[in-house]
């Protein structure tokens, strides 16, 4: 039986309300979309923001453990940087070691929804993250680790947390655990939540109400909507389709289950001091060839945050990534080419990823379909926008997100599969199916930033 057949009437009502909100692109009850850049600039000007690199010895409250070399906070909270030893059964590189972020706490990424004039609006925050190149981006209503919202940092309270905490004051529309970046986090998950309220909400100056369509319009610009907002929007239960996909839902799940089960992946945490192939200086830990990423330290000042100044480590990727879905029509219905991708930090071997997900400079051998994306003509490219990855842990981590239409054969390698956007949307309502890059691209579809049915290219 198709999983879509179990949709309830309330699901359909919510999907219709979300679709109505996605259609409101030019203005909402709060502000016009054209006025948003001025609003965001005003929030940047209203607070002091500064990030500067520092040597490790200037960090406050962070240090390398004398026995393991692991980088940790003196409270034992927040996160630590440790070592990871990896062995996989496929690929050009079968074994490696690397630093990894260990953050066992489950954080909350929550967006608050409310109807204005019959249209759903979403309370979004202009939030500073030290790793964002432009610092200030549009984040969810609540974006907080457990250490943050339980006050370990001894800072101010997290605004609007009561709507998302256990037995919160709003009506839960979506609540699902999702993974973070599997290449840099060890088994990290966050609650992705959508909660509706009928309360009269007092809006702090750093927050604004936007329609889903307005957020979709902002997803057409580089580095505006942050990663945490995108992953929550990907879990919105949008209206599906009754059209017949190339694979049934059961067949798609079976293929994914086979891929998850067949891989032999051996992962072990090791002391950071024992990681082979990396060297430590006064200011960074890196590979001799300076590929993949570095571990660095920064001093941060942020007038709008719960804590206004701190130091912390960050991962600094070396090179811009590409995350692209190749798509084609099959019997008139757009299908996306997804891959079952192994990443060392995943909870369970593989998750569904875009067709292409890589930093090209790190690869000696080109990944499959990279040339299809790189060589695409302008009329094949439906979406092409640079988005920041998680700005709280990664410095200037950016990926070029793309949808590319190409006449790729239906027969593809065994770790790839054709799926419809509706199928991926249903899977995004369940934990640990779609990785964070796939969810970013799905959020662009959910919010209307791109349509795969149009006959013209869309460029951000």
């Amino acid at each position: 039986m198709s999983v879509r057949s179990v949709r309830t009437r309330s699901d359909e009502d919510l999907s219709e309300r979300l679709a109505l909100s996605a259609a409101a692109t030019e203005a909402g009850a709060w502000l016009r979309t054209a006025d948003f850049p001025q609003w965001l600039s005003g929030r940047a000007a209203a607070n002091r923001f500064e990030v500067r690199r520092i040597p490790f010895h200037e960090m406050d409250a962070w240090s390398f453990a004398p026995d393991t070399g692991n980088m940790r906070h003196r409270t034992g909270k927040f996160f630590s940087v440790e070592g990871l030893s990896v062995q996989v059964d496929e690929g050009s590189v079968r074994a490696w070691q690397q630093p990894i972020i260990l953050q066992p706490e489950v954080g909350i990424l929550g967006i608050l929804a409310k109807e204005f004039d019959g249209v759903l609006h979403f309370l979004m925050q202009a939030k500073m993250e030290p790793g964002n190149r432009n610092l200030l981006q549009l984040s969810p209503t609540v974006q907080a680790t457990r250490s943050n919202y339980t006050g370990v940092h001894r800072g101010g309270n997290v605004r609007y947390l009561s709507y998302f905490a256990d037995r919160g004051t709003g009506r839960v529309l979506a609540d699902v655990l999702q993974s973070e970046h599997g290449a840099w986090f060890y088994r990290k998950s966050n609650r992705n939540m959508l909660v509706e309220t009928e309360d009269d909400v007092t809006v702090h100056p750093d927050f604004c109400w936007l329609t889903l369509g307005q957020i979709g319009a902002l997803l057409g610009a580089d580095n505006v909507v942050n990663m945490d907002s995108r992953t929550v929007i990907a879990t919105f239960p949008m209206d599906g389709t009754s059209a017949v996909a190339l694979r049934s839902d059961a067949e798609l799940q079976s293929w994914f289950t086979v891929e998850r089960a067949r891989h032999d992946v051996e992962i072990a945490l090791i002391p950071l001091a024992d990681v082979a192939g990396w060297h430590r200086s006064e200011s960074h830990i890196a590979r001799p060839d300076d590929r993949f990423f570095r571990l660095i330290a920064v001093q941060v000042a942020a007038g709008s945050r719960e804590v206004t100044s701190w130091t912390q480590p960050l991962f600094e990727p070396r090179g811009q990534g590409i995350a692209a879905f190749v798509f084609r029509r099959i019997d008139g219905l757009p299908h996306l080419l997804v891959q079952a991708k192994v990443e060392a930090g995943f909870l369970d071997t593989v998750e569904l990823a875009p067709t292409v997900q890589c930093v090209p400079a790190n690869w000696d051998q080109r990944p499959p379909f990279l040339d299809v994306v790189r060589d695409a003509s302008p009329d094949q490219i439906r979406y092409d926008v640079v988005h920041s990855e998680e700005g709280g842990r990664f410095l200037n981590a950016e990926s070029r997100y793309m949808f590319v239409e190409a006449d790729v054969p239906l027969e593809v390698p065994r770790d790839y599969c054709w799926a419809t956007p509706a199928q991926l949307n249903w899977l995004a309502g369940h934990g640990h199916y779609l990785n964070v890059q796939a969810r970013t691209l799905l959020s662009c579809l959910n919010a209307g930033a791109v349509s795969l049915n149009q006959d013209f290219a869309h460029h951000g």
Side-chain angles (χ1 to χ4, degrees):
M1 180 176 71
S2 169
V3 292
R4 287 192 298 273
S5 66
V6 301
R7 294 177 65 88
T8 66
R9 179 63 191 165
S10 60
D11 291 333
E12 294 170 358
D13 289 345
L14 177 56
S15 296
E16 292 171 1
R17 297 169 70 206
L18 289 168
L20 181 64
S21 183
T25 58
E26 294 185 2
W30 192 257
L31 52 70
R32 296 187 311 142
T33 309
D35 295 334
F36 176 85
Q38 182 179 357
W39 177 83
L40 188 65
S41 296
R43 299 325 305 154
N47 295 285
R48 172 175 171 256
F49 301 114
E50 182 182 354
V51 178
R52 66 179 182 90
R53 296 169 187 260
I54 57 174
F56 290 131
H57 70 82
E58 290 186 14
M59 299 184 76
D60 177 43
W62 291 87
S63 62
F64 292 102
D67 52 345
T68 62
N70 295 342
M71 180 169 280
R72 62 190 183 185
H73 194 265
R74 66 185 173 202
T75 62
K77 302 293 185 179
F78 299 105
F79 64 95
S80 60
V81 181
E82 306 187 12
L84 194 71
S85 178
V86 185
Q87 291 189 0
V88 297
D89 59 346
E90 290 184 356
S92 57
V93 178
R94 302 291 180 92
W96 70 91
Q97 295 181 353
Q98 64 170 88
I100 196 83
I101 297 172
L102 184 63
Q103 187 173 345
E105 301 176 343
V106 175
I108 292 177
L109 307 178
I111 294 180
L112 187 64
K114 180 179 169 65
E115 271 197 6
F116 294 93
D117 300 325
V119 178
L120 276 176
H121 287 60
F122 305 91
L123 188 61
M124 308 299 290
Q125 177 183 182
K127 188 178 181 71
M128 181 273 191
E129 294 288 349
N132 292 337
R133 193 180 300 278
N134 57 344
L135 295 183
L136 206 65
Q137 295 189 15
L138 201 61
S139 84
T141 318
V142 168
Q143 176 185 320
T145 66
R146 181 175 292 274
S147 291
N148 288 145
Y149 64 76
T150 57
V152 172
H153 55 25
R154 299 180 181 178
N157 292 331
V158 176
R159 294 183 180 91
Y160 310 110
L161 178 64
S162 62
Y163 291 101
F164 304 93
D166 292 342
R167 297 176 182 170
T169 57
R171 183 165 72 97
V172 176
L173 303 180
D175 188 355
V176 59
L177 285 176
Q178 297 287 9
S179 62
E180 295 268 325
H181 290 80
W184 298 327
F185 279 110
Y186 181 73
R187 300 180 178 178
K188 174 75 173 75
S189 297
N190 282 321
R191 287 178 72 185
N192 287 232
M193 303 181 68
L194 174 63
V195 173
E196 184 177 9
T197 185
E198 295 180 355
D199 294 350
D200 291 328
V201 179
T202 301
V203 179
H204 183 273
D206 285 333
F207 292 73
C208 68
W209 291 103
L210 298 172
T211 68
L212 186 54
Q214 288 182 293
I215 298 171
L218 298 175
L219 281 165
D222 292 349
N223 292 326
V224 173
V225 180
N226 83 352
M227 187 217 78
D228 299 292
S229 295
R230 302 191 305 264
T231 182
V232 177
I233 292 168
T235 68
F236 287 9
M238 308 301 292
D239 190 22
T241 175
S242 59
V244 177
L246 181 64
R247 288 179 183 249
S248 70
D249 299 328
E251 290 171 336
L252 177 63
Q253 285 185 299
S254 177
W255 166 80
F256 179 72
T257 302
V258 168
E259 286 300 304
R260 178 165 276 180
R262 77 178 179 85
H263 285 285
D264 184 15
V265 181
E266 296 183 16
I267 306 294
L269 289 170
I270 62 174
L272 183 59
D274 293 347
V275 171
W278 295 70
H279 67 268
R280 173 176 151 188
S281 72
E282 292 185 355
S283 60
H284 64 261
I285 295 177
R287 288 165 50 105
D289 59 11
D290 204 28
R291 294 165 82 178
F292 299 101
F293 64 90
R294 294 177 172 182
L295 175 66
I296 59 110
V298 293
Q299 169 77 48
V300 185
S304 61
R305 291 289 295 260
E306 293 88 4
V307 173
T308 56
S309 65
W310 70 92
T311 62
Q312 70 169 90
L314 290 171
F315 278 13
E316 181 185 24
R318 312 302 289 163
Q320 187 182 86
I322 293 178
F325 266 131
V326 172
F327 75 97
R328 60 166 291 176
R329 291 173 176 81
I330 301 174
D331 293 331
L333 182 66
H335 281 65
L336 304 166
L337 185 56
V338 299
Q339 66 165 312
K341 185 174 180 61
V342 173
E343 294 191 63
F346 283 155
L347 186 64
D348 194 354
T349 61
V350 304
E351 293 189 11
L352 298 180
T355 319
V356 174
Q357 178 191 315
C358 68
V359 176
N362 291 336
W363 287 74
D364 294 324
Q365 299 178 1
R366 286 191 299 273
F369 305 106
L370 177 59
D371 288 344
V372 173
V373 171
R374 281 182 147 181
D375 297 342
S377 60
D379 62 343
Q380 292 178 276
I381 299 172
R382 295 297 179 82
Y383 183 83
D384 188 356
V385 178
V386 174
H387 291 300
S388 296
E389 305 303 337
E390 215 281 340
R393 300 290 177 265
F394 314 132
L395 179 65
N396 298 334
E398 296 173 332
S399 296
R400 182 184 177 192
Y401 281 92
M402 304 175 69
F403 283 92
V404 174
E405 186 171 14
D407 190 21
V408 174
L410 294 183
E411 292 295 324
V412 292
R414 67 178 298 179
D415 50 340
Y416 289 78
C417 183
W418 293 102
T420 66
Q423 288 177 314
L424 296 189
N425 182 252
W426 185 83
L427 290 174
H430 300 75
H432 302 285
Y433 275 92
L434 271 64
N435 77 355
V436 70
Q437 289 88 350
R439 296 197 307 273
T440 278
L441 289 165
L442 184 60
S443 75
C444 297
L445 291 173
N446 285 357
V450 59
S451 172
L452 306 186
N453 292 311
Q454 295 173 337
D455 292 326
F456 57 86
H458 173 88
H459 300 278

